[in-house]
Amino acid sequence: MLNIDFTHINKIWLRLFIIYSVCLLIKAFDLTFGGFFDITFRGLTFTIFFLGYWYLVWHLADRIENTFQRGNMNGFVQIVLHLTYGYFASIVFNMSYRIWDTAFYGNGDEWARNRLLNPELTVSLTLFYFLIYVINQYFRSNITAREKQIRLESLEKEAAVAQYRALKSQIEPHFLFNSLSVLSSVVYKDADMANKFIIKLSRTLRYVIEKNEHTLVKLQEELQIVSDYIFLLKVRFGESIVFNYGIPPELIRIYLVPPVSVQLLVENAVNHNSFSEDNPLNITIKIDDGNLVVSNNINKRKDKKDTTGLGLLNLSKRFKLVAGKDIQISDDGVSYIVCLPLLTSDYSTASLKKPIQQ
């Protein structure tokens, strides 16, 4: 089926219209033409050359701006470089116009009265290029604003779905049942341990419920709740689970992640593997090359039913919406590794549904 991008076509016609309007102005002020709509062959070829040349200049200006945007170049420097490019393009057009008019139409005498660079025409065309630059920036800002709005709307919809799925999958009845069962056995044996268990359990549940309203949370908060969650698991499973963690404190304070993302990976490791004190489950969390890496050894449970993988799929979608990045998953049969892109406040400025609590 033919797929036509009408937005692109409309942009082409708009640019040609603007360039043609400037072409008419030049014809009006150049007395060697017969007015605005000079129907001579010279007037026609000039119009075609002017349209083609300045459309190419405009197209290259787009490419230049894209390069500047990717390089995060200073705005003032961008303007200076654009004006330099526009001035150079104007000089090239002026000289080409002069050579063409002299060689093919014998207007050398007319050009001899003007200085070589014809400053009036060159400056006028440079200002025309600056007009192109301003129009480009206007359309870019409007498109960017529209894209941000669409992205924010999608993010809010996804956040609502994520909250529902997280509440459904993270606070599973069996987790609460197992935790309360462990608590009932501990409370008579060790009152201090039972008290600590209750505090960490309540903090874990409160975090899951409250922070799911946020798109991103501080890595420090997420890892704190993971630590509480690991405590609950170790009370239940003892030394069957080994938790390896070593991230410098200065790093966990500057990065952001979607809420419950790391806890989800730890829970998946526990749910999908069998382990014992002789053959423990080793869970490692570290930072490597701008990613939070969560890994565990693989010893798949034989009694575990196939799962839909909605948790990881949901997490992947949330990363794509927030930062345009995806999680990386590796499974070599020995280790299961998930890499979460670490985000900074730059990603959260326009995308957080609610501000991050300090």
Side-chain angles (χ1 to χ4, degrees):
M1 183 176 180
L2 184 61
N3 186 17
I4 301 176
D5 187 352
F6 290 101
T7 302
H8 184 66
I9 293 176
N10 289 338
K11 183 172 68 173
I12 292 175
W13 283 109
L14 177 61
R15 289 183 178 183
L16 289 176
F17 174 77
I18 294 173
I19 295 171
Y20 183 65
S21 299
V22 175
C23 177
L24 293 180
L25 287 176
I26 292 177
K27 283 186 174 182
F29 286 98
D30 188 342
L31 299 180
T32 61
F33 290 106
F36 279 94
F37 302 99
D38 187 358
I39 58 175
T40 63
F41 186 76
R42 176 174 176 264
L44 178 62
T45 54
F46 173 82
T47 299
I48 294 174
F49 176 71
F50 191 91
L51 288 175
Y53 179 85
W54 282 103
Y55 185 85
L56 176 63
V57 169
W58 198 328
H59 178 72
L60 292 178
D62 256 345
R63 295 294 184 89
I64 292 172
E65 185 62 22
N66 288 336
T67 302
F68 289 166
Q69 294 295 328
R70 286 194 297 270
N72 296 319
M73 186 175 291
N74 178 273
F76 176 76
V77 175
Q78 288 187 41
I79 294 176
V80 172
L81 292 177
H82 268 293
L83 285 176
T84 302
Y85 169 68
Y87 181 69
F88 177 78
S90 300
I91 291 177
V92 171
F93 177 83
N94 177 64
M95 298 303 296
S96 301
Y97 178 26
R98 186 186 188 106
I99 294 171
W100 164 79
D101 209 19
T102 300
F104 293 98
Y105 299 101
N107 287 325
D109 293 337
E110 294 290 336
W111 283 101
R113 298 170 188 166
N114 296 308
R115 283 175 286 181
L116 183 62
L117 294 181
N118 193 359
E120 294 82 7
L121 179 60
T122 302
V123 171
S124 298
L125 290 176
T126 302
L127 292 176
F128 167 54
Y129 176 82
F130 188 72
L131 173 65
I132 290 177
Y133 173 74
V134 171
I135 293 173
N136 252 15
Q137 293 302 102
Y138 173 78
F139 280 108
R140 279 179 177 272
S141 63
N142 277 274
I143 292 172
T144 301
R146 180 58 183 163
E147 287 176 347
K148 285 183 177 180
Q149 181 63 31
I150 293 173
R151 186 179 175 194
L152 181 58
E153 291 173 357
S154 298
L155 190 59
E156 289 177 345
K157 292 178 181 178
E158 186 67 16
V161 175
Q163 288 176 40
Y164 170 77
R165 287 179 177 172
L167 288 172
K168 184 178 179 181
S169 62
Q170 301 298 329
I171 314 176
E172 295 183 21
H174 79 265
F175 167 69
L176 284 175
F177 176 78
N178 290 332
S179 297
L180 292 176
S181 296
V182 173
L183 177 60
S184 66
S185 64
V186 172
V187 71
Y188 295 108
K189 298 177 182 180
D190 190 337
D192 291 337
M193 176 64 74
N195 181 61
K196 192 174 182 180
F197 189 94
I198 292 171
I199 291 174
K200 291 187 179 292
L201 177 59
S202 63
R203 192 157 57 188
T204 300
L205 297 179
R206 187 185 306 114
Y207 176 86
V208 172
I209 294 171
E210 292 180 355
K211 293 300 181 179
N212 264 321
E213 295 182 358
H214 296 260
T215 304
L216 296 172
V217 295
K218 291 181 180 178
L219 178 59
Q220 184 177 20
E221 294 178 279
E222 178 74 7
L223 292 181
Q224 177 59 55
I225 215 63
V226 168
S227 178
D228 291 342
Y229 182 67
I230 287 289
F231 173 84
L232 301 179
L233 292 174
K234 289 184 74 67
V235 170
R236 179 183 172 192
F237 297 109
E239 297 305 315
S240 298
I241 296 180
V242 178
F243 180 54
N244 303 301
Y245 164 79
I247 301 176
E250 63 271 15
L251 293 182
I252 66 174
R253 288 192 289 266
I254 64 175
Y255 289 120
L256 306 169
V257 292
V260 200
S261 55
V262 183
Q263 191 266 347
L264 169 67
L265 299 179
V266 173
E267 185 176 0
N268 278 352
V270 174
N271 288 342
H272 291 81
N273 292 279
S274 60
F275 44 86
S276 63
E277 291 189 7
D278 295 331
N279 186 22
L281 175 66
N282 292 284
I283 301 175
T284 301
I285 299 179
K286 63 180 181 178
I287 290 180
D288 183 30
D289 194 25
N291 294 299
L292 184 71
V293 181
V294 182
S295 61
N296 63 270
N297 56 314
I298 297 176
N299 186 19
K300 293 183 178 180
R301 292 176 56 179
K302 296 179 180 179
D303 61 338
K304 186 65 178 178
K305 296 180 180 179
D306 293 335
T307 59
T308 60
L310 280 177
L312 284 176
L313 181 61
N314 177 36
L315 186 60
S316 176
K317 287 182 178 180
R318 291 163 74 184
F319 267 99
K320 287 180 180 178
L321 283 169
V322 172
K325 297 183 177 182
D326 200 359
I327 64 176
Q328 302 296 322
I329 301 174
S330 173
D331 182 352
D332 60 5
V334 177
S335 299
Y336 190 82
I337 304 171
V338 180
C339 297
L340 304 178
L342 286 170
L343 312 177
T344 61
S345 57
D346 294 339
Y347 290 99
S348 63
T349 302
S351 60
L352 283 177
K353 185 177 179 183
K354 293 184 178 180
I356 298 176
Q357 294 180 354
Q358 300 296 323

